[in-house]
Structure formats: structure tokens, C-alpha cells
Amino acid sequence: MASIVFAILFYFATLLLVVGLLYRIYIYARTPVPLKIPTTPAPTTTGGVVLRMMREVVFFESLFKSNLWIWGLSALFHGSLALVLMRHLRYFTDPVWGWVDLIQPFGMYAGLTMLLGLCGLWWRRIFVERIRYISTPSDHLMLLLLIGIAASGLMMKFVVHTDVISVKEYFIGLMQFNILTLPADPLLFMHLLMVMSLLVVFPFSKLLHAPGVFFSPTRNQKDDSREKRHIAAWAKKLEASE
Amino acid sequence: MSDITAPAYRAIPIIPALKPGAMEGKGPFIATDKMNEALGFPGHLVDDWHDRAIAKMGELLSKYRSFKVFMDACVHCGACSDKCHYFIGTQDPKNMPVARQDLLRSVYRRYFTLPGKLFPKLVGARDLTREILDEWYNYFYQCSECRRCSLFCPYGIDTAEITMAAREILDSVGYGQKYTNEILGKVHRIGNNLGLPGPALIDTLEGLEEDVKDATGFDVRFPIDVKGAEVLLITPSADFFAEPHIDSLIGYAKVFHASGTSWTLSSMASEAGNFGMFIGNYEQLRKIALRIRVAALELGVKRIVVGECGHAWRVAYSFWNTLSGVGSGANENDHFAMMLQKQLDHRYKQPAHICEFTWDLIERNALTFDKSANDKYIITFHDSCNVARGASMGDLPGGQFEIPRNIIKAVANNYVEMPLNTIREQTFCCGGGGGVLPDDLLEIRVKGALPRMEVLQQVADEHGVNFMATICAICKAQFTKILPIYGFDRKVVGGVHQLVSNAIQLGQK
């Protein structure tokens, strides 16, 4: 029974994530950018913009300039999350890809550092007056959700082992639209339910910062306003009468 | 107003504790019906302001990707929270950039996002009430759109864009600011922000010619409406009579004179400033920019040069090509832009900043200076926010920082930098930009100047700095008023071309 419920939930959550995100990206992409607003230091070439976006997305360059605590903790969290996600590919691939095997030991400990980063970020949210002031209940809940996901995952890895072989078979089954049996493990259920919640809220919440950063005009525009005329379609229409 | 005193300098510039409600209030004086209506806005707050405000927000979300993405992307990380000069000076938490944005974002979430519609409390979404509208008016006129916060945001969220959207919404329901909207009316009616009519302007310029003749013995001209001149100078109207602005105008004229450049001002476009940007209204921004296009076409000039004005340089550098075609590189089929671009000389940057113009001459060794004329000064340079973070100069990134400094060093012997995290792209706003310059906002102006005054005091104590050069009319006006409140002489602030004017040797080349 649980296997079927989880299967339905997973299909639903995945669909919502993919459709929701694609819809958001479509909205961002179709919304015009009427003016040139890159912030200094703005690159003057496309290559420069690509480099700037890479530094921003991979190294969180602006955050680094702002505050080393927030930068360190979020870099720790995001970096660890990336490793953890890559490690989790082993539950969806058979045979497991070579490089996924290679990072397995790092991926395991990344779970711990991810938890550490999250707790640090939450600590700041609670104890730093300015950040407490700007926090909404959903900001706390989002961190709690991620902490819950990390903690339940780590518990299964290091304390109460779950039958990962069956879990893997179940998910590979799901990918082939074939519903097998999911081990009846409360910890696993919790872990999966929380992951699904995350997938569902992603396109409706501040997690949109992930696609959003790529569409941020202050970061992705070239500084060439004097060299090339930039004009939005709705603004061009105003010129019809001139 | 006389009870407004300077806040104490911080012993160590640590992040201040919060003082909720410190800057609560009614905001700046509101515009009269006449001022609003002259710009096509409702005269006063309309009865259906709620629905109209939400509709306007929806319209802006569909027209500006910046606004849309910035509403969604914020994660409340706090990177910007201690970066605003108004927050540092007032300690009001609603002056933290993220909190200022959230005044608008909370309403966005309520009306335009699913979680906000379903669980408003959970995600900090709020119904738009009259109290919130008043809060917008108060706090969005405590932002100078200086963009310092945007530098530190991991997603590049620019509070200036959000402030502009908020002001645009307020104007659209008849809740305009007196200072900005009155001035916008003057530009349209008379041609400049100060409301100086053509004859008065001509009179002023003739007076200046006599003054410079008396002082130097040279016939330095201040031409206006001269057809066929090479250069059209567009400068803030404060340059025509305010102190210390006028000294820079004299500087520009001497540079033109010394280099033998034929130049002209325009009585129709006797204003570089464009307050359309302050209220985020594209039509206003565009309409004001078009005056320069019309003047350039009528006068048949080959180059357009912009005087010392911060936000005007952002509009000129970043927006003119878009708004009015003053620039290069328009598409062949773009008749509107090509009409003007065919006329301009593209061997030069279009438009060019007066500092680019002067520095180019200095580099070509076309000007002679007596640097000792500025020996009474120990000079520092205050980067103006819109030049630093919204524009550039020259061919290399960072030219907007190097070129004015290079000019100062070419015309004076004593130059000192303020601390690195308060200059260049991290510069602090003077506290009076973006429509925050009227005297009814004096308290926020004084408090917002705190971070700049702290480091000015530091270099004054350590190096004896007694002159802070800048290239912005608003910075000059703001500091002239604020410096005495912090115990400095008002003449400590001045223009870069004021220093050029002091040192330039006429009749040498």
C-alpha cells in the first residue's frame, strides 16, 4: 500500500517540480528587460558575462564580498548538497556510474557538513538580530525541512540502516513505471516525504533563487550601452509617433 | 529643522543594533494636484487606490524582468542588511535593503503567488492596506536608489529597481512626492529642474563671461543655442548658479576654450538631470531624454558631452541610447535612432562625460596646468553612487573610478584616498540622491551621510584632507548643507572641474 502511495506522490511531486520550474523559467524569459542595468564591475563582453555568472553561481562571489559568515555557511551547505545529490545518483543508476562510485566516500561525509552548514544558517537566523527581523516563518521551516532531510538521511546511513538495495530497486522500478515494494521503514518514509515536500514547494517559494540568478539583469547584462542600442519591444512602440 | 543634529560617529564602524520605528513618519511633502496632473498622474489619492495599485504592480511585473525576478529570488540571507547608509545612520530595520524590499514583496506574495494566497502568515504576505501604502510612501522615499546593496546580493537584487517600482505604483494612484514631481513639471515647462527660463540663463552666462574675463583676462565664452557647434554640453542646471557647482561649469568652459573646441549649451535642454529615473517612470524618463535628442538634431552637433551629475550620467551612459538614440550601434533599419546617430561623430564616445573629454585632452598633452594653484588643498574623491554603480567611463571597466582621479592628480599635488570599502564601487551615497534632497527630508539626509562623514573625518584627522571632490550636482548640494552639521566647512565639497579651473593655464597651447 505504502509503495503505491509513495509512487503516486513521487510522480506527482516530480511533475509539479518540472512543470512548475519550466513555467517560471518561461515567465522570466519572456518578460522584457527595457533598460541596461548591470552593476559594477560589469563585464563588457559575452565571455566576461559568462565568467561573472560562473563566479556568482559556483563561488557566490557577491556574497563573499558581503559577509564571510553567510558565505562560508551557505557555501558549505550548497557544496555539500551538490555532493550528496551526486552520491544519490547511485540509487537511480544500474550499474552505478564510475564517477559516482568515486565520490561515494566524500558524498557520505558531505551529509554531515551539509547539516553543519544548515544549522549554522539557522543559528544566524535565530540569533543575529538583523536576520531574525527579516525572517518569515517559512524561512525557518525551509531550513527545518532541509535539516530534517539531512538528519533522517544520516540516521539511515550511520545509525539505523535501511535496506538500500530494495530502495534502489524501487526507484529504478519507478523510473520504468513499474511499482515494486518499498521497505516499510519509518525513517525512510520520513526522509522521502520531506524530499517530496521540497520538490513541491520549489517552484512556489524562495527556492526560485536557483533559476532566478541566471535571469538577474544586474548580473547577466553586458556593459555596452553606448556601443549598441538596446530596446524592448514595448518601448520601441513608443517611438512610432516620433 | 534646526533641531536636527549629526548622529555620533561610531567608534568602530560595527553593524548598528536595530531601533524599530526610528524613522516612522509621514514621509516627504506630497505633491499637489497640479503637480501630479501635469505629469499625467491622478491629482490626489484615488478612491480605488487598492485595485489600481495591484493592477499597476501586475503591469510592472510583466514589463520589467528585473522587478519580477527580484520579487521571487530573495532568500532573506541578510547579505544586504548592513550595507545601506540610511540603515547605518538611522538603525531603523525597515531601512535594511531586504526589509525595504519586503514592504513591497509581502504584497506581491499576497496577490501574485500561490503560497501567499493560501498561507499569507506563513510566508510573510500582507493585504495591501492604507497603512501599508503610507509605509511605502515613507520608506521608499528613504532610499536614494544608490544600488550599494545590489553589489552584495548573491542574486544581484537591486533595491533601486524595487524603489522605482514602488514610487511608480504610488504615482499611479495619485500619491506623488512634491519635490520630484514639481521638478519634473519644471523640466517639461521651462527646460530645467531649477525653472531657470531662457533669458535668465543667457543673462547668467553673460555674467559668467565677464567674471572669467576679470579673473583671467581671457575671453572664455559660454555659448548657448549655437547651431553647428561641435559639442553640445548637457549639464545639471545647478551648474548655472549654485555654489560650488558653478565653479565646475567655469572649468568646463576653460577646457573647451583651451582646447579650441566649439561648443554650445541648449536653452531647451538646459538640464542633464532626469528625475524620471527617480520615480521609475519610463515615459517620464524618455520624454526628458528626448529633449536632448531634439536639441542635438536642431543644433546639428557632432558630439554630446555631459557635465558633472551622477544620476544624469547613469541615464546618459546607460539609458540614452535606449531612450533617445544618443549613442552608437543602432540597427540600420532603426530609423528613429539612425536619424541622430548618422549626425554624430562616432570616433568619440556618444555621449561622453566631461571627465572623459578633459582626460582625453590631458593624455594628448593638449592642456597646461599649474598644479600649485591647488596646493592649498589636500584632496580626496567621493565616488558618486550612480557613476560608480550605474555607469562607466572610457574604454576599460572601472574607468569611472580612474578617470576622475587621474584628472585630479594631473591638476593638483595632494591627493589622498578614503578607506577602500567606502570608495569606488563600494562608495557610500551622499545621503541626498534619488529624490531625497528636499529640506523636508533633512533628518534622513543628515543620518544617511554618516558613513561618508565618518571616513571623511578620518582622512581629515590623519592626512589633513580639506577638499572632497565629486562629480555630482546632488552630492555637491547635499554636502554643502550637511558638512556644517558635521562640523566641516561647507566649501570642503567641490567639483573635479573646479580643481581643473583653478589650475588650467589659458593661452598656453
Side-chain angles (χ1 to χ4, degrees), chain A residues 28-29 31-32 36-37 39-40 66 125 130 134 138-139 206 209 216 218-219 223 225-226 229-230 236, chain B residues 18 65 72-73 75-76 79 81 83 122 147 150-151 153 155-156 286 317 319 321-322 328 334 351 356 388:
Chain A
Y28 292 157
T31 309
K36 280 282 200 170
I37 57 167
T39 11
T40 312
S66 166
R125 214 171 261 301
R130 284 168 296 126
I134 56 174
S138 57
D139 294 328
K206 67 175 186 175
H209 68 280
S216 180
T218 59
R219 295 293 184 268
D223 175 16
S225 47
R226 286 194 291 189
R229 185 164 200 237
H230 166 98
K236 187 72 192 158
Chain B
L18 304 184
R65 186 186 295 166
D72 280 338
V75 301
H76 290 163
S81 61
K83 303 296 186 270
L122 186 72
R147 312 180 90 206
S150 79
L151 214 66
C153 176
Y155 320 111
R286 179 170 177 276
Y317 178 93
F319 304 158
N321 203 354
T322 298
S328 303
D334 185 347
E356 288 179 302

Side-chain angles (χ1 to χ4, degrees), chain B residues 84-402:
Chain B
C84 174
H85 53 292
Y86 291 125
F87 169 66
I88 293 170
T90 66
Q91 299 173 249
D92 188 322
K94 284 178 183 161
N95 277 327
M96 295 192 287
V98 49
R100 194 187 314 282
Q101 294 166 17
D102 273 355
L103 298 176
L104 203 63
R105 189 177 285 116
S106 56
V107 173
Y108 163 76
R109 285 199 170 150
R110 183 74 178 112
Y111 295 86
F112 296 93
T113 72
L114 192 64
K117 285 176 185 167
L118 298 176
F119 318 106
K121 285 255 157 55
L122 186 72
V123 296
R126 305 186 298 174
D127 286 307
L128 178 58
T129 61
R130 181 61 208 266
E131 287 69 37
I132 289 177
L133 199 73
D134 291 340
E135 197 181 34
W136 286 358
Y137 185 72
N138 183 37
Y139 283 103
F140 283 111
Y141 282 99
Q142 292 183 27
C143 168
S144 57
E145 304 175 349
C146 83
R147 312 180 90 206
R148 187 169 194 267
C149 49
S150 79
L151 214 66
F152 300 99
C153 176
Y155 320 111
I157 298 174
D158 180 359
T159 308
E161 293 290 307
I162 293 165
T163 293
M164 288 173 198
R167 292 181 184 181
E168 167 96 308
I169 293 169
L170 288 166
D171 272 322
S172 77
V173 299
Y175 204 163
Q177 185 210 20
K178 174 174 179 271
Y179 172 72
T180 309
N181 288 2
E182 184 175 29
I183 281 178
L184 283 164
K186 279 187 200 160
V187 177
H188 295 311
R189 229 172 38 249
I190 304 164
N192 55 62
N193 288 359
L194 292 171
L196 206 61
L201 184 56
I202 291 165
D203 211 42
T204 308
L205 295 174
E206 281 171 0
L208 274 177
E209 288 181 350
E210 285 165 25
D211 292 349
V212 177
K213 171 91 178 170
D214 289 346
T216 66
F218 286 92
D219 284 311
V220 174
R221 293 279 165 238
F222 290 79
I224 185 160
D225 294 333
V226 178
K227 284 199 175 167
E230 162 95 3
V231 169
L232 170 62
L233 177 75
I234 303 291
T235 205
S237 55
D239 282 2
F240 297 125
F241 86 110
E243 285 284 349
H245 308 62
I246 201 161
D247 295 320
S248 283
L249 177 64
I250 294 170
Y252 320 149
K254 286 183 180 171
V255 170
F256 289 131
H257 177 93
S259 59
T261 309
S262 80
W263 68 289
T264 184
L265 291 157
S266 156
S267 53
M268 179 215 303
S270 49
E271 177 61 65
N274 190 331
F275 282 21
M277 187 178 89
F278 294 169
I279 57 168
N281 183 289
Y282 192 92
E283 285 74 21
Q284 286 296 324
L285 190 60
R286 179 170 177 276
K287 214 173 147 193
I288 293 165
L290 286 180
R291 293 154 46 253
I292 289 128
R293 167 194 173 84
V294 174
L297 285 167
E298 277 183 7
L299 298 171
V301 295
K302 298 285 178 210
R303 304 177 66 179
I304 301 177
V305 173
V306 180
E308 295 181 357
C309 183
H311 84 279
W313 182 237
R314 181 179 183 201
V315 174
Y317 178 93
S318 294
F319 304 158
W320 269 2
N321 203 354
T322 298
L323 298 168
S324 62
V326 175
S328 303
N331 190 303
E332 276 298 321
N333 307 319
D334 185 347
H335 301 295
F336 174 83
M338 283 313 282
M339 201 196 301
L340 180 64
Q341 297 198 356
K342 271 185 194 150
Q343 175 189 315
L344 299 175
D345 185 345
H346 297 283
R347 289 174 303 165
Y348 304 100
K349 300 277 186 192
Q350 301 286 359
H353 194 279
I354 186 70
C355 284
E356 288 179 302
F357 184 88
T358 301
W359 178 240
D360 178 53
L361 291 170
I362 294 173
E363 273 196 304
R364 289 196 278 115
N365 216 9
L367 301 174
T368 313
F369 298 105
D370 171 17
K371 290 168 92 168
S372 68
N374 284 314
D375 274 356
K376 59 185 165 180
Y377 294 132
I378 298 170
I379 301 159
T380 192
F381 183 68
H382 162 80
D383 291 280
S384 299
C385 48
N386 276 298
V387 178
R389 288 184 285 266
S392 188
M393 281 182 207
D395 286 313
L396 297 172
Q400 74 269 45
F401 309 126
E402 303 307 333

